PDB file of all heavy atoms in Angstrom:
ATOM      1  N   ILE C 130     -77.394-118.800 196.573  1.00 94.00           N
ATOM      2  CA  ILE C 130     -76.775-119.317 197.791  1.00 94.00           C
ATOM      3  C   ILE C 130     -76.648-118.133 198.734  1.00 94.00           C
ATOM      4  O   ILE C 130     -76.196-117.053 198.336  1.00 94.00           O
ATOM      5  CB  ILE C 130     -75.376-119.923 197.530  1.00 94.00           C
ATOM      6  CG1 ILE C 130     -75.485-121.179 196.678  1.00 94.00           C
ATOM      7  CG2 ILE C 130     -74.683-120.244 198.857  1.00 94.00           C
ATOM      8  CD1 ILE C 130     -74.147-121.808 196.327  1.00 94.00           C
ATOM      9  N   THR C 131     -77.048-118.330 199.982  1.00 92.00           N
ATOM     10  CA  THR C 131     -76.951-117.278 200.997  1.00 92.00           C
ATOM     11  C   THR C 131     -76.188-117.815 202.205  1.00 92.00           C
ATOM     12  O   THR C 131     -76.004-119.026 202.354  1.00 92.00           O
ATOM     13  CB  THR C 131     -78.355-116.810 201.444  1.00 92.00           C
ATOM     14  OG1 THR C 131     -79.044-117.910 202.050  1.00 92.00           O
ATOM     15  CG2 THR C 131     -79.169-116.280 200.270  1.00 92.00           C
ATOM     16  N   LEU C 132     -75.757-116.917 203.062  1.00 92.00           N
ATOM     17  CA  LEU C 132     -75.160-117.320 204.333  1.00 92.00           C
ATOM     18  C   LEU C 132     -75.042-116.116 205.238  1.00 92.00           C
ATOM     19  O   LEU C 132     -75.019-114.972 204.800  1.00 92.00           O
ATOM     20  CB  LEU C 132     -73.789-117.971 204.138  1.00 92.00           C
ATOM     21  CG  LEU C 132     -72.618-117.124 203.617  1.00 92.00           C
ATOM     22  CD1 LEU C 132     -71.897-116.416 204.754  1.00 92.00           C
ATOM     23  CD2 LEU C 132     -71.646-118.008 202.887  1.00 92.00           C
ATOM     24  N   GLY C 133     -74.970-116.395 206.502  1.00 88.00           N
ATOM     25  CA  GLY C 133     -74.633-115.407 207.516  1.00 88.00           C
ATOM     26  C   GLY C 133     -73.378-115.906 208.205  1.00 88.00           C
ATOM     27  O   GLY C 133     -73.137-117.112 208.265  1.00 88.00           O
ATOM     28  N   THR C 134     -72.578-115.016 208.708  1.00 86.00           N
ATOM     29  CA  THR C 134     -71.356-115.435 209.376  1.00 86.00           C
ATOM     30  C   THR C 134     -71.146-114.625 210.640  1.00 86.00           C
ATOM     31  O   THR C 134     -71.586-113.475 210.729  1.00 86.00           O
ATOM     32  CB  THR C 134     -70.128-115.304 208.440  1.00 86.00           C
ATOM     33  OG1 THR C 134     -68.969-115.800 209.122  1.00 86.00           O
ATOM     34  CG2 THR C 134     -69.892-113.890 207.998  1.00 86.00           C
ATOM     35  N   SER C 135     -70.481-115.217 211.603  1.00 84.00           N
ATOM     36  CA  SER C 135     -70.206-114.528 212.854  1.00 84.00           C
ATOM     37  C   SER C 135     -68.740-114.697 213.244  1.00 84.00           C
ATOM     38  O   SER C 135     -68.401-114.896 214.388  1.00 84.00           O
ATOM     39  CB  SER C 135     -71.117-115.059 213.966  1.00 84.00           C
ATOM     40  OG  SER C 135     -70.873-116.437 214.169  1.00 84.00           O
ATOM     41  N   THR C 136     -67.891-114.610 212.254  1.00 84.00           N
ATOM     42  CA  THR C 136     -66.464-114.787 212.494  1.00 84.00           C
ATOM     43  C   THR C 136     -65.872-113.600 213.247  1.00 84.00           C
ATOM     44  O   THR C 136     -66.373-112.482 213.175  1.00 84.00           O
ATOM     45  CB  THR C 136     -65.723-114.965 211.156  1.00 84.00           C
ATOM     46  OG1 THR C 136     -64.347-115.239 211.438  1.00 84.00           O
ATOM     47  CG2 THR C 136     -65.797-113.725 210.304  1.00 84.00           C
ATOM     48  N   ARG C 137     -64.815-113.849 213.947  1.00 83.00           N
ATOM     49  CA  ARG C 137     -64.095-112.765 214.630  1.00 83.00           C
ATOM     50  C   ARG C 137     -63.115-112.080 213.674  1.00 83.00           C
ATOM     51  O   ARG C 137     -62.703-110.970 213.922  1.00 83.00           O
ATOM     52  CB  ARG C 137     -63.355-113.314 215.842  1.00 83.00           C
ATOM     53  CG  ARG C 137     -64.296-113.838 216.905  1.00 83.00           C
ATOM     54  CD  ARG C 137     -63.531-114.267 218.137  1.00 83.00           C
ATOM     55  NE  ARG C 137     -64.360-114.990 219.051  1.00 83.00           N
ATOM     56  CZ  ARG C 137     -65.161-114.440 219.957  1.00 83.00           C
ATOM     57  NH1 ARG C 137     -65.238-113.140 220.047  1.00 83.00           N
ATOM     58  NH2 ARG C 137     -65.879-115.187 220.753  1.00 83.00           N
ATOM     59  N   ASP C 138     -62.734-112.754 212.586  1.00 85.00           N
ATOM     60  CA  ASP C 138     -61.798-112.183 211.622  1.00 85.00           C
ATOM     61  C   ASP C 138     -62.556-111.869 210.328  1.00 85.00           C
ATOM     62  O   ASP C 138     -62.470-112.591 209.344  1.00 85.00           O
ATOM     63  CB  ASP C 138     -60.648-113.146 211.351  1.00 85.00           C
ATOM     64  CG  ASP C 138     -59.524-112.511 210.552  1.00 85.00           C
ATOM     65  OD1 ASP C 138     -59.729-111.407 209.979  1.00 85.00           O
ATOM     66  OD2 ASP C 138     -58.443-113.115 210.476  1.00 85.00           O
ATOM     67  N   TYR C 139     -63.296-110.765 210.353  1.00 85.00           N
ATOM     68  CA  TYR C 139     -64.159-110.425 209.219  1.00 85.00           C
ATOM     69  C   TYR C 139     -63.364-110.173 207.941  1.00 85.00           C
ATOM     70  O   TYR C 139     -63.854-110.411 206.851  1.00 85.00           O
ATOM     71  CB  TYR C 139     -65.051-109.222 209.548  1.00 85.00           C
ATOM     72  CG  TYR C 139     -64.305-107.921 209.710  1.00 85.00           C
ATOM     73  CD1 TYR C 139     -64.085-107.089 208.619  1.00 85.00           C
ATOM     74  CD2 TYR C 139     -63.802-107.533 210.944  1.00 85.00           C
ATOM     75  CE1 TYR C 139     -63.391-105.907 208.752  1.00 85.00           C
ATOM     76  CE2 TYR C 139     -63.110-106.353 211.087  1.00 85.00           C
ATOM     77  CZ  TYR C 139     -62.903-105.539 209.985  1.00 85.00           C
ATOM     78  OH  TYR C 139     -62.206-104.369 210.128  1.00 85.00           O
ATOM     79  N   ARG C 140     -62.135-109.714 208.037  1.00 89.00           N
ATOM     80  CA  ARG C 140     -61.352-109.454 206.823  1.00 89.00           C
ATOM     81  C   ARG C 140     -61.112-110.744 206.037  1.00 89.00           C
ATOM     82  O   ARG C 140     -61.276-110.782 204.824  1.00 89.00           O
ATOM     83  CB  ARG C 140     -60.029-108.788 207.174  1.00 89.00           C
ATOM     84  CG  ARG C 140     -60.176-107.341 207.594  1.00 89.00           C
ATOM     85  CD  ARG C 140     -58.821-106.735 207.982  1.00 89.00           C
ATOM     86  NE  ARG C 140     -58.957-105.372 208.421  1.00 89.00           N
ATOM     87  CZ  ARG C 140     -59.106-104.994 209.683  1.00 89.00           C
ATOM     88  NH1 ARG C 140     -59.127-105.902 210.654  1.00 89.00           N
ATOM     89  NH2 ARG C 140     -59.235-103.726 209.997  1.00 89.00           N
ATOM     90  N   LYS C 141     -60.721-111.794 206.738  1.00 90.00           N
ATOM     91  CA  LYS C 141     -60.474-113.076 206.066  1.00 90.00           C
ATOM     92  C   LYS C 141     -61.757-113.637 205.480  1.00 90.00           C
ATOM     93  O   LYS C 141     -61.765-114.140 204.355  1.00 90.00           O
ATOM     94  CB  LYS C 141     -59.876-114.091 207.042  1.00 90.00           C
ATOM     95  CG  LYS C 141     -58.402-113.946 207.244  1.00 90.00           C
ATOM     96  CD  LYS C 141     -57.886-115.073 208.106  1.00 90.00           C
ATOM     97  CE  LYS C 141     -56.412-114.893 208.397  1.00 90.00           C
ATOM     98  NZ  LYS C 141     -55.907-115.940 209.301  1.00 90.00           N
ATOM     99  N   ILE C 142     -62.831-113.568 206.239  1.00 86.00           N
ATOM    100  CA  ILE C 142     -64.078-114.172 205.769  1.00 86.00           C
ATOM    101  C   ILE C 142     -64.643-113.399 204.592  1.00 86.00           C
ATOM    102  O   ILE C 142     -65.148-113.982 203.639  1.00 86.00           O
ATOM    103  CB  ILE C 142     -65.086-114.335 206.934  1.00 86.00           C
ATOM    104  CG1 ILE C 142     -65.995-115.535 206.683  1.00 86.00           C
ATOM    105  CG2 ILE C 142     -65.935-113.128 207.164  1.00 86.00           C
ATOM    106  CD1 ILE C 142     -65.376-116.843 206.933  1.00 86.00           C
ATOM    107  N   LEU C 143     -64.555-112.071 204.622  1.00 89.00           N
ATOM    108  CA  LEU C 143     -65.027-111.281 203.487  1.00 89.00           C
ATOM    109  C   LEU C 143     -64.157-111.546 202.259  1.00 89.00           C
ATOM    110  O   LEU C 143     -64.670-111.663 201.147  1.00 89.00           O
ATOM    111  CB  LEU C 143     -65.051-109.794 203.823  1.00 89.00           C
ATOM    112  CG  LEU C 143     -66.167-109.356 204.764  1.00 89.00           C
ATOM    113  CD1 LEU C 143     -66.023-107.878 205.120  1.00 89.00           C
ATOM    114  CD2 LEU C 143     -67.534-109.632 204.173  1.00 89.00           C
ATOM    115  N   HIS C 144     -62.851-111.640 202.455  1.00 89.00           N
ATOM    116  CA  HIS C 144     -61.963-111.976 201.330  1.00 89.00           C
ATOM    117  C   HIS C 144     -62.368-113.319 200.731  1.00 89.00           C
ATOM    118  O   HIS C 144     -62.499-113.452 199.513  1.00 89.00           O
ATOM    119  CB  HIS C 144     -60.499-112.017 201.768  1.00 89.00           C
ATOM    120  CG  HIS C 144     -59.605-112.600 200.716  1.00 89.00           C
ATOM    121  ND1 HIS C 144     -59.204-111.897 199.607  1.00 89.00           N
ATOM    122  CD2 HIS C 144     -59.092-113.852 200.573  1.00 89.00           C
ATOM    123  CE1 HIS C 144     -58.463-112.672 198.839  1.00 89.00           C
ATOM    124  NE2 HIS C 144     -58.380-113.873 199.403  1.00 89.00           N
ATOM    125  N   PHE C 145     -62.562-114.310 201.597  1.00 90.00           N
ATOM    126  CA  PHE C 145     -62.900-115.634 201.097  1.00 90.00           C
ATOM    127  C   PHE C 145     -64.214-115.617 200.317  1.00 90.00           C
ATOM    128  O   PHE C 145     -64.273-116.043 199.161  1.00 90.00           O
ATOM    129  CB  PHE C 145     -62.996-116.654 202.238  1.00 90.00           C
ATOM    130  CG  PHE C 145     -63.476-118.004 201.780  1.00 90.00           C
ATOM    131  CD1 PHE C 145     -62.634-118.842 201.075  1.00 90.00           C
ATOM    132  CD2 PHE C 145     -64.775-118.416 202.023  1.00 90.00           C
ATOM    133  CE1 PHE C 145     -63.074-120.075 200.624  1.00 90.00           C
ATOM    134  CE2 PHE C 145     -65.230-119.652 201.577  1.00 90.00           C
ATOM    135  CZ  PHE C 145     -64.367-120.483 200.879  1.00 90.00           C
TER     136      PHE C 145
END
Side-chain angles (χ1 to χ4, degrees):
I130 293 178
T131 63
L132 67 87
T134 183
S135 61
T136 184
R137 295 185 191 276
D138 190 346
Y139 68 90
R140 287 178 182 93
K141 278 186 184 177
I142 210 77
L143 287 175
H144 169 77
F145 174 75

